[in-house]
Amino acid sequence: FFYFPETHGISFRIQISVKEVLDTDVVLKLLFHLPVNYPSTVPDISVTSDQLTRAQCVDVREKLLEEAKQHLCEPMVHDLILWVQQHLKDVIKQSATVCNEKTTLSKGTEDCIWMLLLHLDHMRAKAKYVKTVEKWASDLRLTGRLMFMGKIILILLQGDRNSIKEYLVLQKTSKVDVDSSGKKCKEKMMRVLCETELQSQNKRFQTFEVKEYSALEELQKEFETAGLTTLFSEFVPPLLK
């Protein structure tokens, strides 16, 4: 594994192989971010694996965070790695049923739905970038819009808060675009305009769609239809200046 210091703690990656899950060895890539006040605070954890779906990775992450809370005020990374090696099979087995329960739950309780509005500066490899965003939204069960209006690019997402956080990790750490010389690069010009809980006056998007708008009025209407007039007026007009 390797680590690199940051202004707000330390981050490091660990890759582990878990035997005999889904009749094959599952390789898990775990990214731990230890905040400055660790272990009084649980670390932030990201889970990725080529053998698991994004939804399964989200479930594994949630279980790891729950387990981390049992070890507050003591070094816990080693214990968490041992725990996931021993319990991965059970988490994956429960994943399908939990997924169904979550879908039902989210329909009935709007208070667990979160919303994220992102601004992207540009997309050089637009077709590939759009396809990647669509896949992430689908895998993480997020709905919303990828919106193009002139030079403005916005991503509006709604869904489970942990899935929103997972999306942000993917957006920041994956090579989604190309630089001026055509080499794959990470998204460095993204801004989080707003991350908040969905309010009762806001409407849920049922799908994730990519849309292009020819005028600001069209874009404004999209926000208004979803009960997001305030969000539009607060964050979109300043982007035109």
Side-chain angles (χ1 to χ4, degrees):
F1 71 92
F2 63 90
Y3 75 92
F4 43 96
E6 294 184 355
T7 49
H8 302 296
I10 288 176
S11 292
F12 57 89
R13 294 179 191 275
I14 293 178
Q15 184 169 300
I16 59 170
S17 180
V18 185
K19 303 285 181 187
E20 297 172 14
V21 180
L22 306 173
D23 301 321
T24 182
D25 289 358
V26 173
V27 176
L28 282 183
K29 294 167 189 168
L30 306 173
L31 173 62
F32 288 92
H33 173 70
L34 309 185
V36 179
N37 52 352
Y38 169 86
S40 302
T41 308
V42 297
D44 194 18
I45 305 168
S46 174
V47 179
T48 53
S49 173
D50 293 336
Q51 288 86 22
L52 302 181
T53 65
R54 286 301 315 162
Q56 285 173 323
C57 287
V58 170
D59 287 333
V60 172
R61 177 181 180 271
E62 284 177 6
K63 294 291 183 189
L64 272 173
L65 288 172
E66 282 174 25
E67 183 63 19
K69 288 172 188 170
Q70 311 300 316
H71 296 273
L72 275 178
C73 299
E74 58 186 73
M76 64 184 81
V77 172
H78 181 64
D79 290 325
L80 294 177
I81 292 165
L82 290 177
W83 186 90
V84 80
Q85 286 175 317
Q86 291 164 4
H87 295 89
L88 183 63
K89 207 169 186 174
D90 299 328
V91 175
I92 291 168
K93 207 181 287 180
Q94 290 170 11
S95 190
T97 52
V98 170
C99 165
N100 293 334
E101 284 168 15
K102 270 187 184 169
T103 310
T104 316
L105 186 69
S106 63
K107 282 177 185 167
T109 52
E110 290 297 334
D111 59 344
C112 64
I113 303 303
W114 277 71
M115 180 168 60
L116 177 72
L117 181 63
L118 300 175
H119 173 244
L120 302 182
D121 186 72
H122 62 270
M123 284 184 183
R124 283 196 177 93
K126 184 176 175 181
K128 176 183 172 288
Y129 205 134
V130 168
K131 202 172 176 183
T132 303
V133 170
E134 285 182 309
K135 184 179 186 317
W136 287 342
S138 170
D139 288 349
L140 291 166
R141 304 193 283 274
L142 297 171
T143 60
R145 299 284 184 267
L146 169 52
M147 302 176 277
F148 296 92
M149 201 286 294
K151 290 186 177 180
I152 293 177
I153 307 168
L154 297 169
I155 301 176
L156 180 61
L157 296 169
Q158 295 176 345
D160 178 78
R161 191 178 188 185
N162 284 327
S163 297
I164 294 270
K165 287 191 172 183
E166 276 290 306
Y167 180 91
L168 273 173
V169 171
L170 286 168
Q171 183 81 58
K172 288 173 184 173
T173 58
S174 307
K175 291 185 176 177
V176 285
D177 207 0
V178 295
D179 61 20
S180 53
S181 60
K183 288 182 182 173
K184 289 181 181 178
C185 67
K186 294 176 184 176
E187 177 56 71
K188 294 187 179 114
M189 304 283 282
M190 178 194 80
R191 281 195 300 144
V192 177
L193 298 179
C194 179
E195 184 180 355
T196 183
E197 198 173 341
L198 203 68
Q199 303 302 310
S200 55
Q201 69 269 24
N202 308 144
K203 291 179 185 168
R204 282 289 310 275
F205 287 109
Q206 297 306 309
T207 56
F208 182 83
E209 295 175 32
V210 180
K211 288 193 164 187
E212 304 221 8
Y213 308 87
S214 55
L216 188 65
E217 291 74 24
E218 282 183 28
L219 183 60
Q220 186 172 354
K221 196 172 179 183
E222 181 79 75
F223 277 80
E224 286 174 354
T225 306
L228 300 171
T229 308
T230 309
L231 190 74
F232 175 87
S233 56
E234 189 173 346
F235 295 105
V236 181
L239 299 174
L240 296 166
K241 291 174 184 173

